[in-house]
Amino acid sequence: EGHFNRIIARRDEMMLPATLDVRNIPGQGTTVDVPIGDNTDEEFSSTAEATANDRDTPTIDNVAMTLEKFTKRVPLTNELMQDEASRLMSFIEDYVARGQAKTHNGLFVTEVVANGTQLTTFNGTDAIAAGELEDIAHDDDIGFYLDDSNSVSWVMRNSTLGQIKSISSEDRFYGDVTQSEGPLGYPVALSNKVDPLGTANNPILFGNFNFVGRRESPSMTVLRDPYSDADAGIVNLHYYFRTVYKVLQSEAVGYGTNA
């Protein structure tokens, strides 16, 4: 039979941290402590004549970023590698890259929901209504972080974006938004790692994601092992990397929750 010489790969999500300008944290060793400011009250004090000055010091905390290892093993028989004519290795490289992107996205979303700020609770259990996105974007604290267009974004599923675009009363509220020009002028990054619309789910993330830190050491490492299973005629491809995500300022990023 005729055989097309390329495997048709499915399309999956791209790696969010690269899109959202997540902050890369350098360092050596399994754990790196990242110092962060933790002040909530820096005002000066009114002081009477001949009275000692008010003593004040900044509050400094730290976030421990401990690397976690992630692995994948792909076994290939000698016969498969000798006989295939569909650019298998090129496909496997793409397959592993997609898996890495999904792993990173899941870790990123989980960290933002765990340690970011709950910015609002929507009235609906499976929907978002007109004016509720404004509650997120116009939160008092997050407003001071919305000055960097490369890092500020919505993160949601495409189905959630579709529901937002369908919101209407007399007129469509967000009907003309696109991914690059999203609701209220902020772009939208898509990921199925974010919850779908649903009771007590967190279907929308928002904020300046440069205030989320990522460590990765080492980055993707590949070991081609033709020896361990040589008696079975199998070559093992081992892939691994270590990474960790941490929210560095909780008021800079957050999420909306369905009722």
Side-chain angles (χ1 to χ4, degrees):
E1 296 180 0
H3 190 270
F4 184 68
N5 67 343
R6 187 166 186 172
I7 300 171
I8 307 302
R10 60 177 291 168
R11 284 199 171 187
D12 285 307
E13 53 195 80
M14 303 296 288
M15 191 164 160
L16 287 177
T19 304
L20 300 176
D21 195 27
V22 168
R23 189 180 306 233
N24 287 314
I25 304 296
Q28 187 70 32
T30 303
T31 300
V32 165
D33 289 330
V34 181
I36 61 171
D38 196 24
N39 301 292
T40 57
D41 185 6
E42 302 95 349
E43 286 86 350
F44 281 65
S45 298
S46 175
T47 305
E49 183 178 356
T51 302
N53 290 350
D54 178 59
R55 180 182 184 274
D56 195 8
T57 56
T59 303
I60 304 296
D61 202 345
N62 72 77
V63 173
M65 301 192 69
T66 302
L67 294 169
E68 184 177 358
K69 184 178 180 181
F70 297 88
T71 66
K72 182 185 291 289
R73 178 172 65 90
V74 180
L76 302 172
T77 64
N78 291 331
E79 290 82 359
L80 175 61
M81 290 188 293
Q82 292 164 359
D83 296 344
E84 67 90 14
S86 297
R87 303 181 190 177
L88 177 63
M89 290 308 301
S90 176
F91 171 77
I92 289 176
E93 290 171 3
D94 188 52
Y95 162 79
V96 170
R98 294 197 310 272
Q100 183 186 28
K102 287 184 174 181
T103 302
H104 275 276
N105 291 355
L107 294 169
F108 167 80
V109 169
T110 298
E111 173 62 17
V112 171
V113 171
N115 292 305
T117 300
Q118 184 177 22
L119 297 169
T120 193
T121 299
F122 305 119
N123 289 322
T125 58
D126 59 358
I128 297 167
E132 291 187 323
L133 296 180
E134 286 78 354
D135 295 338
I136 293 177
H138 293 285
D139 174 81
D140 284 340
D141 291 326
I142 207 170
F144 298 106
Y145 295 90
L146 304 184
D147 56 349
D148 187 345
S149 60
N150 293 325
S151 306
V152 179
S153 179
W154 306 95
V155 184
M156 65 185 77
R157 290 176 176 239
N158 196 38
S159 56
T160 303
L161 178 60
Q163 193 270 316
I164 290 171
K165 293 174 71 172
S166 72
I167 295 172
S168 63
S169 58
E170 294 179 0
D171 298 301
R172 284 287 179 92
F173 272 76
Y174 312 107
D176 58 346
V177 302
T178 63
Q179 266 190 260
S180 59
E181 186 69 25
L184 309 180
Y186 299 108
V188 176
L190 299 178
S191 174
N192 286 349
K193 295 300 182 180
V194 184
D195 288 344
L197 293 163
T199 304
N201 281 354
N202 306 302
I204 287 184
L205 312 184
F206 179 74
N208 186 334
F209 294 104
N210 190 241
F211 289 87
V212 177
R214 177 187 70 166
R215 288 190 65 209
E216 187 173 40
S217 179
S219 56
M220 181 67 81
T221 302
V222 185
L223 171 65
R224 185 180 188 277
D225 174 17
Y227 304 111
S228 297
D229 292 321
D231 59 341
I234 293 174
V235 174
N236 287 296
L237 302 179
H238 296 274
Y239 300 86
Y240 70 93
F241 61 94
R242 295 194 302 168
T243 193
V244 60
Y245 288 83
K246 288 292 182 181
V247 171
L248 304 178
Q249 288 291 347
S250 61
E251 63 184 16
V253 296
Y255 54 91
T257 304
N258 278 126

